[in-house]
Amino acid sequence: MRGLPNSIQARDVEYVLHPVTNARKHEEIGPIVIDRGEGIYVYDDQGNRYLEALAGLWSVAVGFGEKRLVEAAARQMAKLPYYHTFSHKTNEPSVLLAERLVRMTPDRLKRAFFTNSGSEANDSVIKMVWYYNNARGLHQKKKFISRTNAYHGITLASGSLTGLPANQRDFDLPFVPVRHVTCPHHYRFAEPGESEEAFADRLAAELEAVILEEGPETVAAFIGEPLMGAGGVLPPPATYWDKIQAVCRKYDVLIVADEVINGFGRLGTMFACDYYGIDPDIMVLSKQITSSYQPLAAVMISQELYDGIADNSRKIGTFGHGFTASGHPVPAAVALENLDIIEEKNLVENARRVGEVMQVELRKLAGHPLVGEVRGVGLIAAVELVADKATKAKFDPVGKVGAHVFSRAHGNGLIIRAIGDVIAFCPPLIINEEQVHDMVKRFKLTLDETAQELLNRDVASM
Ligand SMILES: Cc1ncc(COP(=O)(O)O)c(C=O)c1O
């Protein structure tokens, strides 16, 4: 284990249960203590610098050490450090943020509801949709449709929408009524020779068949990340969203766009809904909304949903849902400043322009012996590592090589994310071309070292 007795490392191992971590392995190897950050870099407590190629958890849009956000939080804390928004109270920053989000998001979306996290936001989506359908007298219309490999959070309800085995296994999930349809990833799930359009046709037909099998009167909503993130950075096949939306509209199935990773410029457009032409009834936002300097998420809803909820709240006396921190003024003030920075520095355009360079540079690795597919849009991408390029065969066991690349990258001054054997990239939106070249160089070095090691070691021993 790294670190001396009584060091932060040792005390971490002694006292902390880490999220999304193999706890016993953690006891053996201990943590890397991240101490400070600046721009696209973070530094550990030994002074080592890492290029943060995942922007923390896909979220630090404006980079680390942005003083304007620190000052915005300090100003708000000095004036009003906290107040709630229950029972007819409000505060200025949360109102200004709601107004701004309504103006920025697609036209159909007219109101904002605030939570602390993306998971709570998706739990709120489920409750709002149920409440709305009860208000409409559609008491049976409660099921959600999600996709395998989807990530919508980790709480009981949002974790049920998630379609990743590691997040459900032994947690007795799913807990709410949900069907998971096929993941729209062409490389893995298309039939041999099937075009992207034909694959999209097949997935839309599958969705329709599932709705009919369940009974349209029981299916409330379809939820999807426009471009799937934590499941492996999976851009949908061409025409997918047009076809999926048409099926949903045919059966009065609400469309929920989970933009927790995609939103605020990641794909080179303000929202991925703009990129794919999605017109959702509900949009979920978080992460880059404050660059994760403060916890915050927002559920954006249509006028129809709002009216249904509002009428029902009058009928039964209240909309009995909300969090202590719903509309907390400090994260709201930080979000407003963060959105100013995104606009003033043209970070959406930067994501498009520098993102193109990142996509081109990463695709140059497509010929590497370990690489099966390189994919992505704007400043989000993934490199899928395979045992056999021709057959697309995965490594056995899956995840060992990815984990090895992840650890090795630290030695090359790079933080990436391994999702099984898929390596994800999602750097801060402030990254420039030169830094992208540096990032890809460090990654290529890591890949080459790993390929070399694989000549002398079997995968299981990695
Ligand atoms: C698309 C998506 N939805 C929801 C969530 C859950 O957000 P949180 O971790 O803030 O609960 C995430 C987190 O990564 C996400 O990527």
Side-chain angles (χ1 to χ4, degrees), residues 237-382:
T239 70
Y240 173 79
W241 276 109
D242 292 344
K243 291 166 182 167
I244 292 294
Q245 289 184 90
V247 174
C248 292
R249 294 284 172 233
K250 188 168 164 192
Y251 296 103
D252 183 25
V253 169
L254 295 167
I255 298 164
V256 185
D258 184 343
E259 293 239 13
V260 166
I261 287 179
N262 294 181
F264 305 104
R266 182 52 63 189
L267 277 64
T269 51
M270 185 56 84
F271 299 104
C273 283
D274 307 328
Y275 187 86
Y276 291 115
I278 306 170
D279 182 22
D281 301 286
I282 302 178
M283 185 190 258
V284 183
L285 301 168
S286 190
K287 294 196 190 269
Q288 298 204 118
I289 194 171
T290 59
S291 289
S292 278
Y293 278 50
Q294 287 279 299
L296 178 66
V299 181
M300 308 301 298
I301 59 172
S302 67
Q303 189 66 38
E304 288 74 21
L305 262 126
Y306 172 74
D307 285 338
I309 290 170
D311 287 347
N312 207 41
S313 73
R314 180 160 55 196
K315 190 172 121 203
I316 64 178
T318 186
F319 172 55
H321 176 72
F323 301 93
T324 302
S326 286
H328 194 304
V330 177
V334 170
L336 287 165
E337 189 73 19
N338 177 64
L339 297 179
D340 282 348
I341 297 172
I342 289 177
E343 276 176 27
E344 286 164 26
K345 294 195 174 169
N346 280 326
L347 293 185
V348 180
E349 170 57 16
N350 194 63
R352 195 194 58 71
R353 195 177 49 76
V354 179
E356 247 170 55
V357 177
M358 182 175 95
Q359 300 296 336
V360 168
E361 290 305 305
L362 284 174
R363 277 172 180 73
K364 288 183 184 163
L365 302 176
H368 193 281
L370 298 184
V371 174
E373 188 190 37
V374 183
R375 54 185 180 253
V377 179
L379 276 177
I380 184 165

Side-chain angles (χ1 to χ4, degrees), residues 74 80 112-113 183 189-190 224 227 286 457:
L80 181 69
F113 176 85
C183 171
F189 301 108
L227 179 152
S286 190
R457 272 177 85 170

